[in-house]
Amino acid sequence: MCGIIGIASNKLVASNIIQSLKKLEYRGYDSAGIATIVNGEINEKKCAGRVENLEKMLFKNPSNGSLGIGHVRWATHGIPSKVNAHPHSSDEVSVVHNGIIENSNELKKDLEKKGYKFKSQTDTEVITNLLTDFLKDFDLVDAINKTLKTLNGSFALGIIFKKFNNIVVGARRGSPLAVGYGPEENYLGSDSYALKSMTNKITYLDDGDVCVLTNNKIDFYNSKNKKINKEILILSDDKNIAEKGEYKDFMSKEINEQNVTAKTCIKEYLDQLRKNINIYNFPINPKDIQKIVLIGCGTAYHSCITAKYWFEELTNIPIEIDIASEFRYRKIKLNKKNLYVFVSQSGETADTFAALDLCKKNKVKTCSIVNVVESSIARSSDFVLPIHAGPEIGVASTKAFIGQMLVLYILAIKISEVRKEISQSDYEKKINDLKKLPDLIKKTLNYCQDNTPIIAKDFLKAKGAMFLGRGLSFPIALEGALKLKELSYLHAEGYPAGEMKHGPLALIEEGLPVVILAPKDRYFEKTISNMQEVIARGGKVILITNESNNIISENIRFTLEIPKIDDYLTPFLMTVPLQLLAYNVASLKNCDIDKPRNLAKSVTVE
Ligand code: F6R
């Protein structure tokens, strides 16, 4: 988390820094700051809260200077406040940082003994003081190298100097960083998205790289301090995709465009005649795969659980699912005959990346399913399957979830076909059913627009909510609960409906909203029985089904009937009302939809 921007130019830079910080707010939004060089001195301005607060501050008291750095923060060390906001500056240097310095306490003690005073509670301020100290005895290159060598942990850094006032230095270890090439100015940024309005020419730094930017040149050095050349990538022109357009917020846009997301993704993976799936060049022959391990965090992990059901139904391959933050520290027996699949919207999630790194170091086969194809996870894995969802800006993942599930489903069908575990006619039927999905997502979206705001009102006074489902509806219940809690701050639990009697049933009391996901699949009758158990204990049931006939509904508060589709595809349609429900509860509570409290879009710290 945290977003970094740096610009070396011969024009004033503050306004472009602010515009880029607004784009980076998805990475953190609890405080913001900027430092420029004005009349040979470091000029630092920062504030708690959003970038717009900083912008207002600069409006009254402009930051001049043609070279500068900026930052948006997601607090790790120290509360969100002005004093903890970045940049952290001494008289000599000013630093913005994304990541965590693990040995900051020891370094702070050493520096305090030398007489350095600390103003903030951040780990970043040790970098400022360390570099200031090394600059007393060493030249610029040595001072930077010595500083970087002293730091443990992960970081992306942007640094400006009083004495070397025409350069911005960037350094990457573990946290993403890119540079951009502009006309008579150059840029440093946490990702290409922040730089895209200024340039489409980008280079990504690799771990250990350092870059030095002036307004007309960028030099790169590797971890051995050797000057290196790096590839320049030309980004595609999709600037408009990340605009809100007619929507109130990005999340409603992203929910409402999920039929298009699905259509684009399906088009990418089905061949011209739509009779076959275009996935070739597997890193491991599907016939030889002994086990598939699916790994992700949060919503991406929920897509992995859904995929476990599909793979188990469609192939004979044993499937494991794992949460990346657990996987990376367990003593797992990695096996060269297994395929390890990493699912991540951003492609930058620190835990998922570390789990992938562990697999890479053990030379096992890796595949990533990502939205951001230039991301660290995509670049490090043996095989990449993009979800083609376009930029997802709302912090709560919506269309990327649909895209992740789609690619996983398509992958399961393809692997099954290559291994000849699915009949040709079934394979063709699955492809045909897939083609119907975008229109049915649209139909579900239209159907739920008017009724979910009404249902949402019931959640306003509730102490919490439960989401229950069986089979493929279980991960969707987890996802529904996650969406509700992160957006509306209401406690919510997702459970396999059959587990209720083993404890959670004790939570059911008069008026508790319980969302029951009961499509007409092989679990239908059992889920309906579980629903009756909830009703009998006073739960206020919201039933989501594609078969409302024959259900005694007098005690059901609301029933939503979504379109019928192949059972395997029901999770896609079930997801839509749950997203809209969470969205509407959060709207009624006046929560910040695109930027829920305490969260950030790209989780680049552990
Ligand atoms: C929830 C949400 C998070 C992310 C998780 C992983 O709405 O967005 O749970 O799914 O932080 O992020 P990625 O997919 O970028 O690895």
Side-chain angles (χ1 to χ4, degrees), residues 228-389:
I228 49 172
N229 292 323
K230 294 192 74 81
E231 190 186 358
I232 299 178
L233 306 172
I234 307 294
L235 299 174
S236 57
D237 185 20
D238 59 356
K239 282 180 204 158
N240 297 330
I241 297 176
E243 303 300 331
K244 259 189 275 187
E246 79 221 48
Y247 292 96
K248 245 171 85 189
D249 36 57
F250 279 107
M251 189 179 175
S252 58
K253 177 178 186 247
E254 286 155 9
I255 292 175
N256 280 294
E257 68 189 22
Q258 290 179 114
N259 56 318
V260 182
T261 311
K263 200 173 190 162
T264 315
C265 181
I266 292 168
K267 213 167 117 209
E268 289 290 335
Y269 284 101
L270 298 193
D271 76 5
Q272 293 277 331
L273 300 168
R274 308 285 186 268
K275 283 201 174 137
N276 205 345
I277 291 171
N278 280 327
I279 303 181
Y280 310 102
N281 305 323
F282 282 95
I284 174 171
N285 184 339
K287 291 182 184 152
D288 299 331
I289 297 175
Q290 226 165 57
K291 192 200 281 176
I292 296 179
V293 186
L294 304 163
I295 300 148
C297 301
T299 291
Y301 173 66
H302 295 160
S303 73
C304 297
I305 312 179
T306 322
K308 180 177 166 72
Y309 287 82
W310 287 321
F311 273 102
E312 285 176 351
E313 292 277 336
L314 293 166
T315 75
N316 290 324
I317 307 172
I319 307 294
E320 268 180 28
I321 44 176
D322 229 310
I323 291 177
S325 55
E326 292 296 315
F327 179 94
R328 63 182 290 191
Y329 290 115
R330 288 214 315 279
K331 230 178 146 189
I332 293 177
K333 315 283 170 292
L334 297 170
N335 186 328
K336 293 212 163 64
K337 293 196 170 141
N338 295 351
L339 177 64
Y340 296 84
V341 181
F342 296 86
V343 184
S344 172
Q345 187 283 130
S346 61
E348 300 295 350
T349 300
D351 286 318
T352 313
F353 186 70
L356 167 65
D357 200 42
L358 182 76
C359 288
K360 296 289 293 171
K361 286 191 178 123
N362 285 278
K363 300 193 169 44
V364 293
K365 299 293 180 219
T366 58
C367 164
S368 64
I369 295 178
V370 294
N371 195 23
V372 184
V373 284
E374 309 96 0
S375 61
S376 308
I377 289 176
R379 283 180 291 127
S380 288
S381 39
D382 297 325
F383 191 57
V384 185
L385 295 171
I387 65 170
H388 301 288

Side-chain angles (χ1 to χ4, degrees), residues 188-208:
L188 180 73
S190 290
D191 62 25
S192 57
Y193 173 59
L195 305 181
K196 239 177 176 175
S197 60
M198 300 182 286
T199 181
N200 66 346
K201 283 197 219 148
I202 302 281
T203 293
Y204 291 98
L205 270 71
D206 288 307
D207 258 4

Side-chain angles (χ1 to χ4, degrees), residues 47 82 129 148 212 219-220 231 289 327 332 495 542 551:
C47 61
K82 181 177 173 181
N129 288 334
L148 298 182
V212 181
D219 290 326
F220 298 96
E231 190 186 358
I289 297 175
F327 179 94
I332 293 177
Y495 257 98
I542 296 101
I551 297 178

Side-chain angles (χ1 to χ4, degrees), residues 5-20:
I5 183 83
I7 306 181
S9 181
N10 50 19
K11 302 183 291 250
L12 296 182
V13 289
S15 130
N16 276 347
I17 289 180
I18 293 290
Q19 293 320 315
S20 304

